[in-house]
Amino acid sequence: MAELTLETPGELDAVITRDFDAPRALIWRCMTEPALVRRWLLGPPGWTMPVCEIDLRVGGSYRYVWQSEADNSEMGMGGVYQEIVAPDRIVDIQRFDEDWTGGETLVTVELAERDGRTTMTTTVRYSSSEAREAMLATGMTGGMEAGYARLDDLLGELG
């Protein structure tokens, strides 16, 4: 099973890399179609995504809201697409409703396919080194890996 890797080059960036046994066009669909996003982008167990809105165009926005099954608390975030090059790259500016990240972050997701396998590289640029360190301290990679494991299952189902 693939596991994500995390690197922290410079003072502002976090770079998360994960391999998938699927073509990038299928991963692109899973990243951009709300019905599919809802099935995997959930973080740790016990969360649902009642809101998943995607206007996939430069200048278009997206909105995600997660809800805890334990206590119905919610966590939301949204952003605006800056660059879209299907099925290779998405760049967006995002912000959580509760400002976990010290302001807006610039997120770049790149998909590189080789021999039917795809490497997803996500670069998150935070507003400050303090914001990056605070986010890393939340254990965000555990939630990301839980979502990526669900994505593996979904890709197997769709592929």
Side-chain angles (χ1 to χ4, degrees):
M1 180 172 117
E3 290 188 20
L4 67 81
T5 61
L6 169 68
E7 297 177 359
T8 53
E11 293 186 9
L12 302 179
D13 294 344
V15 179
I16 300 100
T17 304
R18 174 68 150 68
D19 291 326
F20 296 92
D21 190 17
R24 72 179 165 192
L26 184 55
I27 294 170
W28 182 268
R29 280 188 56 213
C30 292
M31 291 173 45
T32 59
E33 295 179 18
L36 297 176
V37 171
R38 277 190 162 108
R39 294 182 59 190
W40 72 269
L41 189 61
L42 298 173
W47 290 83
T48 62
M49 183 185 277
V51 176
C52 180
E53 300 166 350
I54 297 174
D55 179 9
L56 189 65
R57 62 184 174 84
V58 173
S61 62
Y62 64 92
R63 175 91 180 129
Y64 304 144
V65 177
W66 295 270
Q67 187 172 42
S68 168
E69 294 173 339
D71 64 7
N72 289 326
S73 62
E74 292 186 343
M75 179 178 73
M77 55 99 57
V80 176
Y81 295 107
Q82 306 296 301
E83 179 183 349
I84 299 170
V85 182
D88 302 314
R89 177 180 167 96
I90 296 178
V91 180
D92 62 83
I93 303 258
Q94 69 178 216
R95 186 178 190 114
F96 281 87
D97 295 353
E98 297 198 19
D99 192 8
W100 313 105
T101 57
E104 294 179 338
T105 59
L106 178 67
V107 179
T108 302
V109 178
E110 297 173 300
L111 300 174
E113 182 178 345
R114 183 174 177 171
D115 300 325
R117 291 185 57 82
T118 301
T119 299
M120 177 189 295
T121 303
T122 304
T123 303
V124 183
R125 173 155 287 182
Y126 293 93
S127 59
S128 68
S129 59
E130 295 80 14
R132 181 187 73 178
E133 294 309 311
M135 195 62 178
L136 293 174
T138 68
M140 69 182 232
T141 55
M144 290 179 76
E145 182 53 43
Y148 290 157
R150 279 191 212 91
L151 179 54
D152 281 331
D153 292 342
L154 179 58
L155 292 166
E157 179 185 320
L158 297 173

